[in-house]
Amino acid sequence: MKIVVIGGTGLIGSKTVAILREEGHEVVAGSPKSGVNTITGKGLKEAMAGAQVAIDLANSPSFEDKAVLEFFVTSGRNLLAAEAAAGVRHHVALSIVGTDRSDNGYFRAKVAQEKLIKTSGIPYTIIRATQFMEFLGGIADSGTDGNTVRLSPSLFQPIAADDVAPVVAEVALAAPRNGTVEIAGPERAPFHELVARYLKAVGDPRQVVRDPESRYFGGRVEERSLVPLGEARLGHIGLDEWLRRSKA
Ligand SMILES: NC(=O)c1ccc[n+]([C@@H]2O[C@H](COP(=O)([O-])OP(=O)(O)OC[C@H]3O[C@@H](n4cnc5c(N)ncnc54)[C@H](OP(=O)(O)O)[C@@H]3O)[C@@H](O)[C@H]2O)c1
């Protein structure tokens, strides 16, 4: 089967491409570096020719509110139009658990991306994942003030990229659900606790402070804003195991 992975050079994209190639599929790893650009449209038509499945794992180069919204809307529109023209039969995209339950600019962009997919007429499956463990450092940085990291005690259930990619590949090979599946890591704990464990393990001297008023990238978060509320598939790699693998 021919499968196009947009963002095929990224964290999740490169792992997904490797799994699908290993299984014998013809995979195009599309990204600006490989001449496929969903913003300018360059190389999209050629990449999509003869493809049955398209997986959108692209990410915005800028997380600034306006730029990220523009990225996901323009990229989504161009990609879905190219898929419709090529007769793609399954669109798969990676979104975020709770993206409609907080109000930061990045989440608003992902909601807009999901809306385009749901109204595109192309059979689809949206996978909503919790935060990647690989993003823990970025989360700590976002709450940092001097040597202190202020984080909310709301629940957090990060997932390792190595747990995400196999689910993306599996979903892409299955029938479209015209719906959403949720995936999360195996451990659920307050944000400040997990980030403190991470910083200690990597030898980062910053002190984590529990702050119920602190926002997540500018958005308010309540106790269960960022964890699955219903049924979710769980990964196998906990924080300690992920740290062990990262150091190896
Ligand atoms: N971070 C999280 O915790 C989290 C949680 C849930 C879901 N997600 C979602 O997961 C997805 C993948 O994230 P990631 O961390 O794997 O991304 P990443 O490592 O930042 O990779 C981004 C990819 O997008 C490509 N790209 C950028 N601009 C493009 C364009 N104009 N046209 C085509 N491709 C373009 C990049 O290509 P080049 O290498 O050529 O620049 C790269 O392959 C994102 O949609 C994100 O919203 C993230």
Side-chain angles (χ1 to χ4, degrees), residues 6-13 30-34 36-39 56-59 61 71-72 75 94-96 106 110 113 129-132 135:
I6 297 295
T9 54
L11 173 66
I12 307 298
S31 84
K33 279 182 201 141
S34 70
V36 181
N37 191 320
T38 53
I39 297 298
D56 186 4
L57 299 173
N59 206 357
F71 178 88
F72 279 111
S75 175
L94 193 53
S95 189
I96 307 172
Y106 192 88
K110 295 300 284 185
Q113 180 192 23
T130 53
Q131 287 64 40
F132 305 152
F135 192 44

PDB file of all heavy atoms in Angstrom, residues 6-13 30-34 36-39 56-59 61 71-72 75 94-96 106 110 113 129-132 135, ligand 1:
ATOM      1  N   ILE A   6       3.151  12.922   6.100  1.00  0.00           N
ATOM      2  CA  ILE A   6       3.547  14.333   6.108  1.00  0.00           C
ATOM      3  C   ILE A   6       4.178  14.628   7.470  1.00  0.00           C
ATOM      4  O   ILE A   6       3.617  14.272   8.507  1.00  0.00           O
ATOM      5  CB  ILE A   6       2.317  15.241   5.843  1.00  0.00           C
ATOM      6  CG1 ILE A   6       1.745  14.975   4.439  1.00  0.00           C
ATOM      7  CG2 ILE A   6       2.675  16.708   6.018  1.00  0.00           C
ATOM      8  CD1 ILE A   6       2.642  15.339   3.279  1.00  0.00           C
ATOM      9  N   GLY A   7       5.336  15.254   7.456  1.00  0.00           N
ATOM     10  CA  GLY A   7       6.097  15.398   8.709  1.00  0.00           C
ATOM     11  C   GLY A   7       6.871  14.117   8.984  1.00  0.00           C
ATOM     12  O   GLY A   7       7.179  13.789  10.121  1.00  0.00           O
ATOM     13  N   GLY A   8       7.201  13.425   7.909  1.00  0.00           N
ATOM     14  CA  GLY A   8       7.866  12.118   8.020  1.00  0.00           C
ATOM     15  C   GLY A   8       9.298  12.159   8.525  1.00  0.00           C
ATOM     16  O   GLY A   8       9.892  11.103   8.771  1.00  0.00           O
ATOM     17  N   THR A   9       9.847  13.369   8.701  1.00  0.00           N
ATOM     18  CA  THR A   9      11.198  13.482   9.270  1.00  0.00           C
ATOM     19  C   THR A   9      11.159  13.862  10.747  1.00  0.00           C
ATOM     20  O   THR A   9      12.202  13.970  11.393  1.00  0.00           O
ATOM     21  CB  THR A   9      12.015  14.574   8.534  1.00  0.00           C
ATOM     22  OG1 THR A   9      11.242  15.789   8.578  1.00  0.00           O
ATOM     23  CG2 THR A   9      12.290  14.207   7.095  1.00  0.00           C
ATOM     24  N   GLY A  10       9.956  14.097  11.300  1.00  0.00           N
ATOM     25  CA  GLY A  10       9.836  14.581  12.673  1.00  0.00           C
ATOM     26  C   GLY A  10       9.957  13.465  13.707  1.00  0.00           C
ATOM     27  O   GLY A  10      10.253  12.307  13.369  1.00  0.00           O
ATOM     28  N   LEU A  11       9.740  13.834  14.969  1.00  0.00           N
ATOM     29  CA  LEU A  11       9.879  12.882  16.084  1.00  0.00           C
ATOM     30  C   LEU A  11       8.975  11.652  15.878  1.00  0.00           C
ATOM     31  O   LEU A  11       9.456  10.515  15.867  1.00  0.00           O
ATOM     32  CB  LEU A  11       9.515  13.598  17.404  1.00  0.00           C
ATOM     33  CG  LEU A  11       9.453  12.726  18.655  1.00  0.00           C
ATOM     34  CD1 LEU A  11      10.817  12.183  19.027  1.00  0.00           C
ATOM     35  CD2 LEU A  11       8.852  13.527  19.829  1.00  0.00           C
ATOM     36  N   ILE A  12       7.697  11.870  15.714  1.00  0.00           N
ATOM     37  CA  ILE A  12       6.767  10.747  15.542  1.00  0.00           C
ATOM     38  C   ILE A  12       6.809  10.257  14.093  1.00  0.00           C
ATOM     39  O   ILE A  12       6.743   9.054  13.818  1.00  0.00           O
ATOM     40  CB  ILE A  12       5.317  11.155  15.916  1.00  0.00           C
ATOM     41  CG1 ILE A  12       5.267  11.772  17.334  1.00  0.00           C
ATOM     42  CG2 ILE A  12       4.378   9.950  15.802  1.00  0.00           C
ATOM     43  CD1 ILE A  12       5.694  10.870  18.460  1.00  0.00           C
ATOM     44  N   GLY A  13       6.945  11.201  13.152  1.00  0.00           N
ATOM     45  CA  GLY A  13       6.937  10.851  11.734  1.00  0.00           C
ATOM     46  C   GLY A  13       8.035   9.866  11.367  1.00  0.00           C
ATOM     47  O   GLY A  13       7.787   8.866  10.684  1.00  0.00           O
ATOM     48  N   GLY A  30       7.152  12.759   3.631  1.00  0.00           N
ATOM     49  CA  GLY A  30       7.041  14.110   3.082  1.00  0.00           C
ATOM     50  C   GLY A  30       7.368  15.180   4.102  1.00  0.00           C
ATOM     51  O   GLY A  30       6.872  15.154   5.234  1.00  0.00           O
ATOM     52  N   SER A  31       8.235  16.105   3.703  1.00  0.00           N
ATOM     53  CA  SER A  31       8.536  17.262   4.555  1.00  0.00           C
ATOM     54  C   SER A  31       9.258  18.270   3.669  1.00  0.00           C
ATOM     55  O   SER A  31       9.728  17.912   2.578  1.00  0.00           O
ATOM     56  CB  SER A  31       9.426  16.847   5.730  1.00  0.00           C
ATOM     57  OG  SER A  31      10.773  16.835   5.340  1.00  0.00           O
ATOM     58  N   PRO A  32       9.355  19.520   4.099  1.00  0.00           N
ATOM     59  CA  PRO A  32      10.062  20.500   3.260  1.00  0.00           C
ATOM     60  C   PRO A  32      11.457  20.018   2.859  1.00  0.00           C
ATOM     61  O   PRO A  32      11.877  20.236   1.724  1.00  0.00           O
ATOM     62  CB  PRO A  32      10.115  21.744   4.163  1.00  0.00           C
ATOM     63  CG  PRO A  32       8.894  21.619   5.029  1.00  0.00           C
ATOM     64  CD  PRO A  32       8.745  20.153   5.290  1.00  0.00           C
ATOM     65  N   LYS A  33      12.140  19.331   3.780  1.00  0.00           N
ATOM     66  CA  LYS A  33      13.499  18.845   3.460  1.00  0.00           C
ATOM     67  C   LYS A  33      13.488  17.853   2.306  1.00  0.00           C
ATOM     68  O   LYS A  33      14.461  17.730   1.574  1.00  0.00           O
ATOM     69  CB  LYS A  33      14.117  18.175   4.693  1.00  0.00           C
ATOM     70  CG  LYS A  33      14.701  19.169   5.667  1.00  0.00           C
ATOM     71  CD  LYS A  33      15.342  18.445   6.853  1.00  0.00           C
ATOM     72  CE  LYS A  33      15.451  19.380   8.045  1.00  0.00           C
ATOM     73  NZ  LYS A  33      15.174  18.753   9.315  1.00  0.00           N
ATOM     74  N   SER A  34      12.369  17.097   2.168  1.00  0.00           N
ATOM     75  CA  SER A  34      12.306  16.124   1.069  1.00  0.00           C
ATOM     76  C   SER A  34      11.492  16.672  -0.104  1.00  0.00           C
ATOM     77  O   SER A  34      11.068  15.915  -0.985  1.00  0.00           O
ATOM     78  CB  SER A  34      11.718  14.798   1.570  1.00  0.00           C
ATOM     79  OG  SER A  34      10.336  14.957   1.848  1.00  0.00           O
ATOM     80  N   VAL A  36       8.439  18.286  -0.046  1.00  0.00           N
ATOM     81  CA  VAL A  36       6.971  18.279   0.064  1.00  0.00           C
ATOM     82  C   VAL A  36       6.588  19.305   1.134  1.00  0.00           C
ATOM     83  O   VAL A  36       6.930  19.148   2.305  1.00  0.00           O
ATOM     84  CB  VAL A  36       6.440  16.877   0.462  1.00  0.00           C
ATOM     85  CG1 VAL A  36       4.919  16.891   0.541  1.00  0.00           C
ATOM     86  CG2 VAL A  36       6.921  15.815  -0.523  1.00  0.00           C
ATOM     87  N   ASN A  37       5.881  20.351   0.692  1.00  0.00           N
ATOM     88  CA  ASN A  37       5.576  21.446   1.614  1.00  0.00           C
ATOM     89  C   ASN A  37       4.072  21.721   1.606  1.00  0.00           C
ATOM     90  O   ASN A  37       3.507  22.125   0.598  1.00  0.00           O
ATOM     91  CB  ASN A  37       6.365  22.697   1.196  1.00  0.00           C
ATOM     92  CG  ASN A  37       6.312  23.778   2.250  1.00  0.00           C
ATOM     93  OD1 ASN A  37       5.272  24.014   2.870  1.00  0.00           O
ATOM     94  ND2 ASN A  37       7.439  24.431   2.465  1.00  0.00           N
ATOM     95  N   THR A  38       3.424  21.500   2.751  1.00  0.00           N
ATOM     96  CA  THR A  38       1.961  21.660   2.818  1.00  0.00           C
ATOM     97  C   THR A  38       1.544  23.124   2.912  1.00  0.00           C
ATOM     98  O   THR A  38       0.368  23.433   2.757  1.00  0.00           O
ATOM     99  CB  THR A  38       1.389  20.907   4.040  1.00  0.00           C
ATOM    100  OG1 THR A  38       2.096  21.326   5.213  1.00  0.00           O
ATOM    101  CG2 THR A  38       1.501  19.411   3.872  1.00  0.00           C
ATOM    102  N   ILE A  39       2.495  24.026   3.153  1.00  0.00           N
ATOM    103  CA  ILE A  39       2.147  25.447   3.196  1.00  0.00           C
ATOM    104  C   ILE A  39       2.191  26.046   1.790  1.00  0.00           C
ATOM    105  O   ILE A  39       1.258  26.706   1.354  1.00  0.00           O
ATOM    106  CB  ILE A  39       3.097  26.222   4.157  1.00  0.00           C
ATOM    107  CG1 ILE A  39       2.939  25.692   5.594  1.00  0.00           C
ATOM    108  CG2 ILE A  39       2.843  27.726   4.097  1.00  0.00           C
ATOM    109  CD1 ILE A  39       1.558  25.860   6.225  1.00  0.00           C
ATOM    110  N   ASP A  56      -0.946  12.778   8.730  1.00  0.00           N
ATOM    111  CA  ASP A  56      -0.439  14.130   8.953  1.00  0.00           C
ATOM    112  C   ASP A  56       0.241  14.216  10.314  1.00  0.00           C
ATOM    113  O   ASP A  56      -0.418  14.254  11.353  1.00  0.00           O
ATOM    114  CB  ASP A  56      -1.592  15.139   8.863  1.00  0.00           C
ATOM    115  CG  ASP A  56      -1.086  16.572   8.946  1.00  0.00           C
ATOM    116  OD1 ASP A  56       0.149  16.769   8.998  1.00  0.00           O
ATOM    117  OD2 ASP A  56      -1.921  17.503   8.952  1.00  0.00           O
ATOM    118  N   LEU A  57       1.583  14.274  10.276  1.00  0.00           N
ATOM    119  CA  LEU A  57       2.375  14.394  11.506  1.00  0.00           C
ATOM    120  C   LEU A  57       3.243  15.650  11.452  1.00  0.00           C
ATOM    121  O   LEU A  57       4.298  15.726  12.071  1.00  0.00           O
ATOM    122  CB  LEU A  57       3.243  13.139  11.688  1.00  0.00           C
ATOM    123  CG  LEU A  57       2.458  11.827  11.812  1.00  0.00           C
ATOM    124  CD1 LEU A  57       3.397  10.634  11.817  1.00  0.00           C
ATOM    125  CD2 LEU A  57       1.588  11.824  13.068  1.00  0.00           C
ATOM    126  N   ALA A  58       2.775  16.633  10.671  1.00  0.00           N
ATOM    127  CA  ALA A  58       3.536  17.884  10.560  1.00  0.00           C
ATOM    128  C   ALA A  58       3.345  18.725  11.812  1.00  0.00           C
ATOM    129  O   ALA A  58       2.349  18.589  12.523  1.00  0.00           O
ATOM    130  CB  ALA A  58       3.083  18.665   9.328  1.00  0.00           C
ATOM    131  N   ASN A  59       4.288  19.581  12.081  1.00  0.00           N
ATOM    132  CA  ASN A  59       4.170  20.494  13.214  1.00  0.00           C
ATOM    133  C   ASN A  59       4.602  21.887  12.774  1.00  0.00           C
ATOM    134  O   ASN A  59       5.419  22.026  11.860  1.00  0.00           O
ATOM    135  CB  ASN A  59       5.037  20.013  14.385  1.00  0.00           C
ATOM    136  CG  ASN A  59       4.491  20.504  15.717  1.00  0.00           C
ATOM    137  OD1 ASN A  59       3.505  21.249  15.768  1.00  0.00           O
ATOM    138  ND2 ASN A  59       5.123  20.093  16.790  1.00  0.00           N
ATOM    139  N   PRO A  61       6.546  25.334  12.685  1.00  0.00           N
ATOM    140  CA  PRO A  61       7.872  25.808  13.125  1.00  0.00           C
ATOM    141  C   PRO A  61       7.748  26.863  14.230  1.00  0.00           C
ATOM    142  O   PRO A  61       8.658  27.020  15.025  1.00  0.00           O
ATOM    143  CB  PRO A  61       8.482  26.426  11.862  1.00  0.00           C
ATOM    144  CG  PRO A  61       7.611  25.990  10.726  1.00  0.00           C
ATOM    145  CD  PRO A  61       6.265  25.661  11.280  1.00  0.00           C
ATOM    146  N   PHE A  71      -0.550  28.078  10.447  1.00  0.00           N
ATOM    147  CA  PHE A  71       0.129  26.873   9.947  1.00  0.00           C
ATOM    148  C   PHE A  71      -0.860  25.713   9.823  1.00  0.00           C
ATOM    149  O   PHE A  71      -0.990  25.103   8.759  1.00  0.00           O
ATOM    150  CB  PHE A  71       1.292  26.459  10.864  1.00  0.00           C
ATOM    151  CG  PHE A  71       1.969  25.187  10.390  1.00  0.00           C
ATOM    152  CD1 PHE A  71       3.008  25.250   9.465  1.00  0.00           C
ATOM    153  CD2 PHE A  71       1.544  23.930  10.818  1.00  0.00           C
ATOM    154  CE1 PHE A  71       3.611  24.078   8.979  1.00  0.00           C
ATOM    155  CE2 PHE A  71       2.137  22.760  10.336  1.00  0.00           C
ATOM    156  CZ  PHE A  71       3.174  22.844   9.421  1.00  0.00           C
ATOM    157  N   PHE A  72      -1.555  25.368  10.912  1.00  0.00           N
ATOM    158  CA  PHE A  72      -2.397  24.172  10.866  1.00  0.00           C
ATOM    159  C   PHE A  72      -3.597  24.336   9.923  1.00  0.00           C
ATOM    160  O   PHE A  72      -4.022  23.368   9.291  1.00  0.00           O
ATOM    161  CB  PHE A  72      -2.838  23.757  12.277  1.00  0.00           C
ATOM    162  CG  PHE A  72      -1.767  22.969  12.998  1.00  0.00           C
ATOM    163  CD1 PHE A  72      -1.088  23.501  14.083  1.00  0.00           C
ATOM    164  CD2 PHE A  72      -1.407  21.697  12.564  1.00  0.00           C
ATOM    165  CE1 PHE A  72      -0.079  22.786  14.735  1.00  0.00           C
ATOM    166  CE2 PHE A  72      -0.399  20.967  13.206  1.00  0.00           C
ATOM    167  CZ  PHE A  72       0.256  21.517  14.295  1.00  0.00           C
ATOM    168  N   SER A  75      -1.939  24.398   6.184  1.00  0.00           N
ATOM    169  CA  SER A  75      -1.398  23.076   5.913  1.00  0.00           C
ATOM    170  C   SER A  75      -2.529  22.053   5.752  1.00  0.00           C
ATOM    171  O   SER A  75      -2.553  21.261   4.810  1.00  0.00           O
ATOM    172  CB  SER A  75      -0.469  22.672   7.067  1.00  0.00           C
ATOM    173  OG  SER A  75      -0.021  21.360   6.907  1.00  0.00           O
ATOM    174  N   LEU A  94      -2.570  13.389  14.026  1.00  0.00           N
ATOM    175  CA  LEU A  94      -2.238  13.293  15.450  1.00  0.00           C
ATOM    176  C   LEU A  94      -2.608  14.607  16.131  1.00  0.00           C
ATOM    177  O   LEU A  94      -2.080  15.664  15.780  1.00  0.00           O
ATOM    178  CB  LEU A  94      -0.740  13.006  15.590  1.00  0.00           C
ATOM    179  CG  LEU A  94      -0.216  12.578  16.952  1.00  0.00           C
ATOM    180  CD1 LEU A  94      -0.989  11.396  17.524  1.00  0.00           C
ATOM    181  CD2 LEU A  94       1.264  12.223  16.851  1.00  0.00           C
ATOM    182  N   SER A  95      -3.523  14.514  17.082  1.00  0.00           N
ATOM    183  CA  SER A  95      -3.928  15.698  17.837  1.00  0.00           C
ATOM    184  C   SER A  95      -3.631  15.466  19.315  1.00  0.00           C
ATOM    185  O   SER A  95      -2.831  14.591  19.658  1.00  0.00           O
ATOM    186  CB  SER A  95      -5.408  15.988  17.561  1.00  0.00           C
ATOM    187  OG  SER A  95      -5.766  17.234  18.117  1.00  0.00           O
ATOM    188  N   ILE A  96      -4.236  16.240  20.168  1.00  0.00           N
ATOM    189  CA  ILE A  96      -3.851  16.244  21.592  1.00  0.00           C
ATOM    190  C   ILE A  96      -5.062  16.001  22.482  1.00  0.00           C
ATOM    191  O   ILE A  96      -6.113  16.638  22.289  1.00  0.00           O
ATOM    192  CB  ILE A  96      -3.206  17.602  21.962  1.00  0.00           C
ATOM    193  CG1 ILE A  96      -2.061  17.927  20.996  1.00  0.00           C
ATOM    194  CG2 ILE A  96      -2.721  17.601  23.408  1.00  0.00           C
ATOM    195  CD1 ILE A  96      -1.496  19.319  21.152  1.00  0.00           C
ATOM    196  N   TYR A 106      -1.922  27.075  20.839  1.00  0.00           N
ATOM    197  CA  TYR A 106      -1.586  25.836  20.130  1.00  0.00           C
ATOM    198  C   TYR A 106      -2.809  24.917  20.095  1.00  0.00           C
ATOM    199  O   TYR A 106      -3.111  24.319  19.056  1.00  0.00           O
ATOM    200  CB  TYR A 106      -0.402  25.139  20.825  1.00  0.00           C
ATOM    201  CG  TYR A 106       0.190  24.027  19.989  1.00  0.00           C
ATOM    202  CD1 TYR A 106       1.196  24.285  19.069  1.00  0.00           C
ATOM    203  CD2 TYR A 106      -0.277  22.715  20.103  1.00  0.00           C
ATOM    204  CE1 TYR A 106       1.729  23.277  18.283  1.00  0.00           C
ATOM    205  CE2 TYR A 106       0.251  21.698  19.325  1.00  0.00           C
ATOM    206  CZ  TYR A 106       1.264  21.981  18.415  1.00  0.00           C
ATOM    207  OH  TYR A 106       1.784  20.974  17.639  1.00  0.00           O
ATOM    208  N   LYS A 110      -5.011  23.245  16.943  1.00  0.00           N
ATOM    209  CA  LYS A 110      -5.292  21.807  16.753  1.00  0.00           C
ATOM    210  C   LYS A 110      -6.804  21.573  16.617  1.00  0.00           C
ATOM    211  O   LYS A 110      -7.235  20.709  15.849  1.00  0.00           O
ATOM    212  CB  LYS A 110      -4.725  20.988  17.918  1.00  0.00           C
ATOM    213  CG  LYS A 110      -3.210  21.014  18.039  1.00  0.00           C
ATOM    214  CD  LYS A 110      -2.488  20.476  16.815  1.00  0.00           C
ATOM    215  CE  LYS A 110      -2.510  18.964  16.707  1.00  0.00           C
ATOM    216  NZ  LYS A 110      -1.676  18.493  15.553  1.00  0.00           N
ATOM    217  N   GLN A 113      -7.579  22.397  13.108  1.00  0.00           N
ATOM    218  CA  GLN A 113      -7.120  21.302  12.243  1.00  0.00           C
ATOM    219  C   GLN A 113      -8.128  20.149  12.280  1.00  0.00           C
ATOM    220  O   GLN A 113      -8.506  19.600  11.232  1.00  0.00           O
ATOM    221  CB  GLN A 113      -5.745  20.816  12.713  1.00  0.00           C
ATOM    222  CG  GLN A 113      -5.180  19.668  11.889  1.00  0.00           C
ATOM    223  CD  GLN A 113      -3.967  18.998  12.540  1.00  0.00           C
ATOM    224  OE1 GLN A 113      -3.778  19.076  13.761  1.00  0.00           O
ATOM    225  NE2 GLN A 113      -3.157  18.339  11.745  1.00  0.00           N
ATOM    226  N   ALA A 129      -3.252  12.198  21.380  1.00  0.00           N
ATOM    227  CA  ALA A 129      -2.253  11.693  22.336  1.00  0.00           C
ATOM    228  C   ALA A 129      -2.075  12.719  23.454  1.00  0.00           C
ATOM    229  O   ALA A 129      -2.289  13.914  23.249  1.00  0.00           O
ATOM    230  CB  ALA A 129      -0.918  11.470  21.632  1.00  0.00           C
ATOM    231  N   THR A 130      -1.664  12.235  24.613  1.00  0.00           N
ATOM    232  CA  THR A 130      -1.248  13.160  25.672  1.00  0.00           C
ATOM    233  C   THR A 130       0.139  13.704  25.296  1.00  0.00           C
ATOM    234  O   THR A 130       0.732  13.314  24.281  1.00  0.00           O
ATOM    235  CB  THR A 130      -1.191  12.437  27.025  1.00  0.00           C
ATOM    236  OG1 THR A 130      -0.378  11.268  26.867  1.00  0.00           O
ATOM    237  CG2 THR A 130      -2.580  12.062  27.519  1.00  0.00           C
ATOM    238  N   GLN A 131       0.706  14.560  26.131  1.00  0.00           N
ATOM    239  CA  GLN A 131       2.009  15.175  25.860  1.00  0.00           C
ATOM    240  C   GLN A 131       3.088  14.095  25.738  1.00  0.00           C
ATOM    241  O   GLN A 131       3.087  13.112  26.484  1.00  0.00           O
ATOM    242  CB  GLN A 131       2.382  16.137  26.995  1.00  0.00           C
ATOM    243  CG  GLN A 131       1.579  17.437  26.983  1.00  0.00           C
ATOM    244  CD  GLN A 131       0.095  17.238  27.216  1.00  0.00           C
ATOM    245  OE1 GLN A 131      -0.305  16.437  28.038  1.00  0.00           O
ATOM    246  NE2 GLN A 131      -0.720  17.952  26.473  1.00  0.00           N
ATOM    247  N   PHE A 132       4.003  14.310  24.789  1.00  0.00           N
ATOM    248  CA  PHE A 132       5.101  13.348  24.613  1.00  0.00           C
ATOM    249  C   PHE A 132       6.125  13.538  25.734  1.00  0.00           C
ATOM    250  O   PHE A 132       6.416  14.676  26.134  1.00  0.00           O
ATOM    251  CB  PHE A 132       5.811  13.574  23.272  1.00  0.00           C
ATOM    252  CG  PHE A 132       4.889  13.551  22.075  1.00  0.00           C
ATOM    253  CD1 PHE A 132       5.210  14.267  20.929  1.00  0.00           C
ATOM    254  CD2 PHE A 132       3.713  12.802  22.088  1.00  0.00           C
ATOM    255  CE1 PHE A 132       4.375  14.251  19.826  1.00  0.00           C
ATOM    256  CE2 PHE A 132       2.868  12.781  20.989  1.00  0.00           C
ATOM    257  CZ  PHE A 132       3.198  13.512  19.859  1.00  0.00           C
ATOM    258  N   PHE A 135       8.738  16.008  25.304  1.00  0.00           N
ATOM    259  CA  PHE A 135       8.355  17.416  25.415  1.00  0.00           C
ATOM    260  C   PHE A 135       8.455  17.911  26.869  1.00  0.00           C
ATOM    261  O   PHE A 135       8.181  19.075  27.160  1.00  0.00           O
ATOM    262  CB  PHE A 135       6.924  17.541  24.884  1.00  0.00           C
ATOM    263  CG  PHE A 135       6.426  18.929  24.641  1.00  0.00           C
ATOM    264  CD1 PHE A 135       7.212  19.881  24.003  1.00  0.00           C
ATOM    265  CD2 PHE A 135       5.143  19.286  25.025  1.00  0.00           C
ATOM    266  CE1 PHE A 135       6.738  21.155  23.776  1.00  0.00           C
ATOM    267  CE2 PHE A 135       4.658  20.566  24.805  1.00  0.00           C
ATOM    268  CZ  PHE A 135       5.455  21.498  24.182  1.00  0.00           C
TER     269      PHE A 135
HETATM  270  N1  LIG B   1       4.435  17.509  21.501  1.00  0.00           N
HETATM  271  C1  LIG B   1       3.426  16.867  22.057  1.00  0.00           C
HETATM  272  O1  LIG B   1       3.455  16.609  23.262  1.00  0.00           O
HETATM  273  C2  LIG B   1       2.240  16.410  21.214  1.00  0.00           C
HETATM  274  C3  LIG B   1       1.203  15.706  21.808  1.00  0.00           C
HETATM  275  C4  LIG B   1       0.156  15.236  21.026  1.00  0.00           C
HETATM  276  C5  LIG B   1       0.159  15.502  19.641  1.00  0.00           C
HETATM  277  N2  LIG B   1       1.180  16.206  19.078  1.00  0.00           N
HETATM  278  C6  LIG B   1       1.171  16.416  17.604  1.00  0.00           C
HETATM  279  O2  LIG B   1       2.031  15.461  17.021  1.00  0.00           O
HETATM  280  C7  LIG B   1       2.398  15.910  15.710  1.00  0.00           C
HETATM  281  C8  LIG B   1       3.856  15.559  15.438  1.00  0.00           C
HETATM  282  O3  LIG B   1       4.681  16.223  16.372  1.00  0.00           O
HETATM  283  P1  LIG B   1       6.269  15.986  16.399  1.00  0.00           P
HETATM  284  O4  LIG B   1       6.739  16.437  17.756  1.00  0.00           O
HETATM  285  O5  LIG B   1       6.582  14.607  15.916  1.00  0.00           O
HETATM  286  O6  LIG B   1       6.754  17.053  15.316  1.00  0.00           O
HETATM  287  P2  LIG B   1       8.269  17.493  14.989  1.00  0.00           P
HETATM  288  O7  LIG B   1       9.262  16.547  15.519  1.00  0.00           O
HETATM  289  O8  LIG B   1       8.375  18.940  15.367  1.00  0.00           O
HETATM  290  O9  LIG B   1       8.301  17.373  13.396  1.00  0.00           O
HETATM  291  C9  LIG B   1       7.587  18.258  12.606  1.00  0.00           C
HETATM  292  C10 LIG B   1       7.563  17.739  11.180  1.00  0.00           C
HETATM  293  O10 LIG B   1       6.735  18.642  10.427  1.00  0.00           O
HETATM  294  C11 LIG B   1       7.425  18.897   9.206  1.00  0.00           C
HETATM  295  N3  LIG B   1       6.975  20.149   8.628  1.00  0.00           N
HETATM  296  C12 LIG B   1       7.170  21.414   9.110  1.00  0.00           C
HETATM  297  N4  LIG B   1       6.662  22.305   8.227  1.00  0.00           N
HETATM  298  C13 LIG B   1       6.124  21.588   7.201  1.00  0.00           C
HETATM  299  C14 LIG B   1       5.477  21.946   5.985  1.00  0.00           C
HETATM  300  N5  LIG B   1       5.273  23.224   5.641  1.00  0.00           N
HETATM  301  N6  LIG B   1       5.099  20.952   5.142  1.00  0.00           N
HETATM  302  C15 LIG B   1       5.312  19.640   5.467  1.00  0.00           C
HETATM  303  N7  LIG B   1       5.904  19.246   6.608  1.00  0.00           N
HETATM  304  C16 LIG B   1       6.309  20.214   7.462  1.00  0.00           C
HETATM  305  C17 LIG B   1       8.900  18.906   9.594  1.00  0.00           C
HETATM  306  O11 LIG B   1       9.689  18.745   8.417  1.00  0.00           O
HETATM  307  P3  LIG B   1      11.260  19.223   8.314  1.00  0.00           P
HETATM  308  O12 LIG B   1      12.038  18.216   9.123  1.00  0.00           O
HETATM  309  O13 LIG B   1      11.562  19.145   6.844  1.00  0.00           O
HETATM  310  O14 LIG B   1      11.303  20.607   8.878  1.00  0.00           O
HETATM  311  C18 LIG B   1       8.932  17.683  10.501  1.00  0.00           C
HETATM  312  O15 LIG B   1       8.994  16.494   9.727  1.00  0.00           O
HETATM  313  C19 LIG B   1       2.052  17.411  15.668  1.00  0.00           C
HETATM  314  O16 LIG B   1       0.926  17.596  14.833  1.00  0.00           O
HETATM  315  C20 LIG B   1       1.686  17.752  17.115  1.00  0.00           C
HETATM  316  O17 LIG B   1       0.672  18.731  17.199  1.00  0.00           O
HETATM  317  C21 LIG B   1       2.214  16.653  19.830  1.00  0.00           C
END
